[in-house]
Amino acid sequence: MLRQLIFIAKISFVILIGWGMSGCADRAGGPLFECLPAASSGIDFCNELQETETENIVEYLYYYNGAGVATGDINNDGLADIYFTSNQQSNRLYLNKGNLQFEDITETAGVAGAGNWKTGVTMADVNGDGQLDIYVCQVGQYKTFEGRNQLFINNGDLTFTEKAADYGLDFKGFSTQAAFFDYDRDGDLDMYLLNHSVHGTDIYGRATIRQRTDPSPATACTATT
């Protein structure tokens, strides 16, 4: 009886999945999504990696984890703009011009970023002035990677000023992604910072080694001031 119930449950699950996937096409039978080429959208970003003897999957476990992307209306025109982080190259900011047309304003906006290994990115109104700011995470003080997290404050004219140190957010370590929210409900955004661990070759052994303490300095969460 139990096996029959499990079989019926599995069949029902498959039917539900199939019914849900059928919603990926409109009533006319066409797809709901369309792939736009870079020549049409203006977005030609590519996170290219160049392996070296010091920067590769062996030396850095998270080498192929990718970078980050954030969407938000940086100029309050009702259109979502896009910011891409690049692990090894410069980050890119694309302004939404409407009708799925974007313009690369990275250089004029001053948000290309520094550091040689960028990871996640978050858009949030950090200083509460009604304009979205951009916070970029990166890896620093690890082998060949040097850099600090950067906070680009929106000037309100499609330009930004980097002020991470002024806000106490210029963290240097193994940052992956950040999230802003009002933790203490005081009207100001606080920040939770996610960092990854670093594994050496000595981790490949018996399960008991998981009890060992990493001698590296502990990372910490940071809040805005």
Side-chain angles (χ1 to χ4, degrees):
M1 181 64 178
L2 179 59
R3 291 183 178 180
Q4 290 178 337
L5 290 175
I6 293 176
F7 176 76
I8 293 173
K10 289 182 177 179
I11 292 297
S12 300
F13 178 75
V14 171
I15 292 175
L16 286 173
I17 291 296
W19 176 75
M21 292 182 66
S22 66
C24 292
D26 59 25
R27 295 185 178 181
L32 292 179
F33 295 93
E34 178 183 357
C35 181
L36 295 178
S40 173
S41 67
I43 299 177
D44 58 356
F45 174 82
C46 181
N47 184 37
E48 296 182 353
L49 297 178
Q50 297 294 328
E51 292 187 12
T52 66
E53 292 185 358
T54 57
E55 295 183 9
N56 53 66
I57 188 64
V58 176
E59 294 294 330
Y60 182 56
L61 182 63
Y62 308 96
Y63 189 80
Y64 290 113
N65 272 22
V69 59
T71 60
D73 187 1
I74 63 170
N75 57 344
N76 294 327
D77 65 351
L79 301 173
D81 310 299
I82 308 177
Y83 186 94
F84 293 96
T85 55
S86 173
N87 291 136
Q88 295 178 325
Q89 309 300 322
S90 65
N91 305 322
R92 311 309 297 175
L93 175 61
Y94 292 89
L95 182 68
N96 193 335
K97 308 292 288 185
N99 297 319
L100 296 178
Q101 302 292 313
F102 293 82
E103 177 186 355
D104 187 342
I105 62 169
T106 307
E107 303 306 326
T108 58
V111 293
N116 56 353
W117 193 266
K118 282 84 66 181
T119 52
V121 55
T122 305
M123 285 189 182
D125 184 6
V126 177
N127 58 354
D129 65 351
Q131 303 282 345
L132 282 181
D133 309 302
I134 302 173
Y135 188 70
V136 177
C137 292
Q138 47 189 319
V139 176
Q141 203 171 352
Y142 181 67
K143 296 187 177 181
T144 61
F145 299 145
E146 288 295 335
R148 293 180 177 274
N149 292 358
Q150 294 188 292
L151 174 62
F152 297 100
I153 294 296
N154 195 328
N155 297 322
D157 58 359
L158 295 181
T159 66
F160 293 76
T161 302
E162 204 288 308
K163 293 186 176 182
D166 295 346
Y167 285 78
L169 296 176
D170 58 335
F171 181 85
K172 188 174 186 178
F174 309 126
S175 298
T176 298
Q177 184 63 297
F180 289 86
F181 61 104
D182 188 1
Y183 172 75
D184 53 0
R185 299 181 181 180
D186 65 349
D188 297 321
L189 287 184
D190 308 299
M191 188 268 277
Y192 181 88
L193 181 61
L194 174 68
N195 303 287
H196 68 67
S197 58
V198 177
H199 303 284
T201 55
D202 59 342
I203 69 169
Y204 301 105
R206 295 182 178 275
T208 53
I209 65 176
R210 71 179 62 181
Q211 304 300 328
R212 297 178 186 174
T213 302
D214 191 331
S216 302
T219 54
C221 300
T222 313
T224 62
T225 57

